[in-house]
Amino acid sequence: MCNIPGIISNGPAWFKSLGRGTDGGTKLFGVSGRVKKPGLWELPMGTTVRELVEENAGGMQDGYSLKGFLPGGASTDFLIARHLDVPLDFGSVQAAGSRLGTGP
């Protein structure tokens, strides 16, 4: 809902152009656990897990390495460290064996 004013002001093509791949726009991504800077960020669709964890969440805390993560919340399947370069868009995450979310 918060994207509606921007879409109305700038047009749907503008919003779609904010994404990096086939899924346009932005999405909220949250990171918690053993990262240096847990938080919530609005990022372009197609941002990789590596970018999300390393650039936005500051990387893993000293002495820890990423073993697995849920790309779309508790009702999605785990992905593992080899999936760090998967773009966070619906098709790429599905091809990796999980889902980007279950909401509408």
Side-chain angles (χ1 to χ4, degrees):
M1 296 296 284
C2 66
N3 291 316
I4 292 173
I7 294 169
I8 290 172
S9 296
N10 301 300
W14 163 82
F15 184 72
K16 186 172 182 180
S17 75
L18 298 177
R20 296 183 179 172
T22 57
D23 296 328
T26 61
K27 184 166 178 43
L28 294 175
F29 296 101
V31 179
S32 62
R34 303 265 184 201
V35 293
K36 293 179 181 173
K37 299 185 316 188
L40 177 71
W41 300 272
E42 182 178 10
L43 300 170
M45 291 290 286
T47 297
T48 65
V49 178
R50 185 178 307 278
E51 290 174 276
L52 179 60
V53 171
E54 293 179 2
E55 294 175 22
N56 294 277
M60 301 301 294
Q61 293 177 355
D62 295 339
Y64 291 93
S65 60
L66 185 126
K67 297 196 185 331
F69 59 95
L70 295 167
S75 63
T76 64
D77 294 323
F78 277 93
L79 295 180
I80 56 176
R82 71 176 174 166
H83 297 110
L84 279 171
D85 294 311
V86 169
L88 291 168
D89 62 53
F90 296 106
S92 298
V93 172
Q94 184 177 19
S98 191
R99 293 171 292 156
L100 196 52
T102 57

